Amino acid sequence: MAEYERIKGEQQARIGFRDNLLYATLASMAAIIAAVLQGDGQAALLLLLPPVSVLLGWTYLVNDEKISAIGRYVREELAPQLATLAKGLKQGSGHVQVFGWEVAHRSDHRRVSRKCLQLAVDLITFCVAPVAAVVVFWAAGPRRVPLVAVSAIELAAIAVLAVQIVLYADLNRGDTVLLIISE
């Protein structure tokens, strides 16, 4: 139980940090766009948005994956161990259910649609917005070759991030075996 409390504390801290990364990304985007608008149309400043988005997006993704890994560890490792221990201590017949919430919240019939919407939000925030910044930079007029090269590298980095976001989206239903051990 002590391990469960520690690991859930880490998960909770990571959730708070991950969620704040969305706000940090939006604030960074607003600051960059404000600088472009105040800088007499210096569209080259828009090229700051992709590296900021990729950096914050990657950090968001890593934390999101660790949050999921903690949940998986609790469901697949800790819960069965604790259920076996509790069953050994329990007298009589019946079953022992451990950490039911870890399974119940993943079995919600709206989970897939919720995860798809979250995937869309993540892609729009961390990938579509910086691609739009590059497109606006390209459309803004005269471009210098070094900045065009930088923008191409940024697009490649955004594409890598987009693929990783989709791969880690965890869109499956999530129905797992209920953590019950019966006699």
Side-chain angles (χ1 to χ4, degrees):
M1 286 306 295
E3 181 181 13
Y4 174 75
E5 289 175 14
R6 280 193 319 274
I7 203 162
K8 290 304 280 186
E10 178 184 344
Q11 187 181 46
Q12 186 177 16
R14 283 184 179 274
I15 288 169
F17 181 71
R18 178 202 60 194
D19 292 351
N20 284 331
L21 285 168
L22 281 172
Y23 304 127
T25 302
L26 294 174
S28 299
M29 288 177 179
I32 291 168
I33 292 169
V36 169
L37 294 175
Q38 292 175 356
D40 294 328
Q42 297 224 3
L45 291 174
L46 286 171
L47 295 182
L48 294 172
L49 203 140
V52 168
S53 295
V54 168
L55 176 68
L56 293 172
W58 182 254
T59 306
Y60 176 93
L61 181 63
V62 167
N63 272 282
D64 191 57
E65 193 283 324
K66 294 300 179 205
I67 292 163
S68 296
I70 289 170
R72 220 173 14 260
Y73 176 75
V74 168
R75 284 188 311 277
E76 297 173 6
E77 300 293 328
L78 278 184
Q81 291 173 18
L82 188 58
T84 300
L85 179 62
K87 184 169 172 60
L89 296 175
K90 184 177 178 185
Q91 300 296 323
S93 63
H95 66 274
V96 176
Q97 181 177 349
V98 181
F99 306 136
W101 173 248
E102 297 293 335
V103 173
H105 79 278
R106 293 181 57 83
S107 301
D108 177 12
H109 69 280
R110 293 189 193 120
R111 181 177 188 279
V112 174
S113 63
R114 197 173 50 248
K115 294 297 279 184
C116 287
L117 288 171
Q118 186 62 53
L119 173 60
V121 167
D122 293 348
L123 288 172
I124 289 167
T125 303
F126 298 114
C127 301
V128 174
V131 167
V134 171
V135 169
V136 170
F137 163 73
W138 285 346
R143 291 164 296 284
R144 295 188 301 267
V145 173
L147 291 179
V148 171
V150 165
S151 68
I153 293 167
E154 290 176 343
L155 287 176
I158 294 165
V160 169
L161 178 62
V163 167
Q164 293 302 308
I165 288 172
V166 170
L167 289 175
Y168 282 100
D170 190 23
L171 296 177
N172 62 0
R173 174 109 170 110
D175 293 334
T176 56
V177 178
L178 199 57
L179 301 173
I180 297 177
I181 297 181
S182 299
E183 289 190 345

